[in-house]
Amino acid sequence: MSDDLTHLSLAEASKLIHKADVSSIELTEACLARIGAVDSTLNAFITVTAEAARTSARQATNSKPHSPLHGIPIALKDIFDVEGVRTTAGSPILADNVATADSAVTRRLKDAGAIILGKLNLHQFAFGATGRSSHFGPARNPWDPERITGGSSSGSGAAVSSGETFMAMGTDTGGSIRIPASLCGIVGLKPTFGRVSRAGLLPLSWSLDHAGPMARSVEDVAIVMQVIAGHDPNDTWSSREPVPDYTKNLRAGVKGLRVGVPDSFFFDSLEPEVDAGVRAAIGVLESLGAIVEPVRLPYIYEIPSATNAIQLPEALAYHQKWMAERPEDYLDDVRYRLELGAMIPAVTYVQAQRLREMAVAAWRDEVFSRVDVLAMASTQGAAFKLEGSDLSVTLSLIRLTNPLNLMGVPVISVPCGFTSEGLPFGLQLAGRWWDEATVLRAAYAFEQATEWHPPKGGRPPI
């Protein structure tokens, strides 16, 4: 019964709590038992705050539910501050760094009644796409523990997929929500840049970082977005754009929705099974009434290099002191990327930001004037083996995700197939700035019409 509870969707668990058919205590104990049973294999958690979670669960059980997150156990990537709990970022440099206050996202989740189970593993300092490089060892994929989860939100992907938590918060600077969502067979949303506060999060690249939810269904992600989205005066990049009701039109379908399929770049080098699966997924949207058409994406081949020219020096700017004083505490691939940041001239950084402005204007005028959403693969293939070159694998993993960080548009990854080896992969749907609602609606319609998402898609072996 415990495992049955932990593999419910967040929305299903919430309904049970609101009907008093299950208590927050029961859900929390089920998740803690699940963590105890599988995390020695998966290594998804860095810190489990079991007693604090039990205390919060008792309080939630003894009070009237006031939001869909009331009493729901969740977990946070270990760059989100939680008061009184260490924030390590997967590095020995911060091994004893105890937060003195909650991040903005943590506070909003707590206010909604969510139960914090603990902090999740990640690629060191969120600076990698595989999840291999962590001071605490790599997180492992529940579909095959000898394979990567994808990163940098590696523990978040593993924990949600395996049923250790109902939802996990991740961050996404070049694909770090969508890559593990794709490789672990779950849903992950990168909101519009500025939609969710980054206050109280360890930064990687200030002008590219996004925070967003990872869960087992599109509805779950919509529920969480309703809580965490909105202006925060403590984040200077935070937008005052009004937040809509993300669940209001979730079930409205896609009839008449204009779906653009990029005519280049995103389909240039997909693994054959992924190519077939993604094209079949686009066909599902068309069968549901969407209008599918090819679309040209201006500057698409220039955008990846511009993204790197911005991300690398911004990352080094944050890490410069530690790189000078404690370079040996950085894992090799992370240190190498930071060293690359020192090799990018200021003029190249400025030119990259200028290209970003031109690309955003062109996409607004030439792409999103014609289509409502874009559809493409989340990753070129499924999860790689844990052994191997991190740098070459990283370049493959971020190819289809990091252009959308530069653009700052909302993007979701939703499961859309399995390889012949039984490994999941995802479909990306991207929309106009601030229009997460349409992205969620399209993803929900696809999800409900297919067999790839839990529980239809089955549970991973772990």
Side-chain angles (χ1 to χ4, degrees), residues 99-374:
T100 58
D102 288 332
S103 74
V105 166
T106 304
R107 174 48 49 198
R108 291 186 183 195
L109 291 167
K110 283 183 175 180
D111 287 347
I115 311 302
I116 310 295
L117 293 168
K119 308 291 286 299
L120 294 161
N121 206 351
L122 69 158
H123 205 108
Q124 187 184 43
F125 286 117
F127 207 2
T130 65
R132 284 175 175 149
S133 298
S134 170
H135 176 60
F136 301 93
R140 293 175 178 267
N141 196 311
W143 293 95
D144 179 353
E146 296 307 311
R147 294 181 184 265
I148 64 171
T149 58
S152 63
S153 306
S154 53
S156 299
V160 171
S161 179
S162 65
E164 293 176 280
T165 180
F166 289 93
M167 188 281 293
M169 286 300 304
T171 57
D172 194 313
T173 306
S176 292
I177 287 172
R178 291 158 289 151
I179 293 167
S182 178
L183 301 190
C184 293
I186 61 171
V187 179
L189 176 70
K190 179 193 82 65
T192 307
F193 182 78
R195 177 64 95 182
V196 175
S197 174
R198 283 100 42 86
L201 274 69
L202 194 83
L204 173 55
S205 174
W206 288 280
S207 70
L208 295 169
D209 291 344
H210 303 66
M214 303 167 69
R216 287 191 286 274
S217 80
V218 175
E219 183 179 12
D220 293 355
V221 167
I223 288 170
V224 177
M225 276 298 297
Q226 204 65 55
V227 170
I228 64 174
H231 177 67
D232 175 18
N234 294 315
D235 179 357
T236 56
W237 297 88
S238 178
S239 173
R240 295 184 181 274
E241 189 75 18
V243 177
D245 183 341
Y246 289 118
T247 61
K248 182 178 179 181
N249 294 315
L250 197 61
R251 294 166 176 78
V254 294
K255 187 174 182 180
L257 195 75
R258 298 171 299 169
V259 176
V261 180
D263 62 5
S264 60
F265 187 85
F266 284 95
F267 288 87
D268 288 352
S269 53
L270 299 184
E271 294 293 330
E273 289 179 307
V274 174
D275 189 297
V278 170
R279 291 185 189 279
I282 293 168
V284 170
L285 291 171
E286 190 168 28
S287 73
L288 296 172
I291 301 166
V292 175
E293 60 179 273
V295 64
R296 173 185 168 272
L297 301 179
Y299 300 102
I300 189 57
Y301 286 98
E302 293 81 17
I303 286 172
S305 59
T307 307
N308 289 333
I310 293 169
Q311 181 188 92
L312 296 175
E314 286 188 355
L316 179 60
Y318 181 80
H319 288 274
Q320 191 169 20
K321 182 175 184 292
W322 290 332
M323 279 286 286
E325 297 175 354
R326 302 180 62 170
E328 71 282 357
D329 286 328
Y330 288 88
L331 294 166
D332 289 346
D333 65 301
V334 176
R335 184 172 59 251
Y336 174 71
R337 292 187 188 97
L338 289 168
E339 289 169 346
L340 286 178
M343 300 171 65
I344 296 175
V347 66
T348 302
Y349 176 86
V350 172
Q351 288 171 339
Q353 291 285 18
R354 176 59 181 148
L355 185 136
R356 180 187 207 169
E357 293 176 2
M358 293 188 296
V360 167
W363 280 38
R364 180 180 290 115
D365 295 341
E366 301 174 32
V367 178
F368 288 115
S369 63
R370 290 181 49 202
V371 300
D372 301 304
V373 295
L374 298 170

Side-chain angles (χ1 to χ4, degrees), residues 370-451:
R370 290 181 49 202
V371 300
D372 301 304
V373 295
L374 298 170
M376 53 248 158
S378 301
T379 50
Q380 291 179 290
F384 292 82
K385 291 285 189 178
L386 274 167
E387 315 85 56
S389 166
D390 192 89
L391 290 174
S392 63
V393 170
T394 292
L395 290 174
S396 168
L397 289 172
I398 66 173
R399 187 174 190 276
L400 307 183
T401 53
N402 86 343
L404 300 167
N405 288 81
L406 189 80
M407 303 310 293
V409 294
V411 197
I412 198 167
S413 178
V414 61
C416 78
F418 288 90
T419 68
S420 57
E421 294 182 285
L423 300 171
F425 56 87
L427 168 73
Q428 277 193 113
L429 295 169
R432 296 182 186 89
W433 298 266
W434 315 114
D435 194 13
E436 291 88 3
T438 297
V439 171
L440 290 163
R441 176 162 62 94
Y444 182 86
F446 171 76
E447 177 189 69
Q448 296 304 304
T450 55
E451 302 292 319

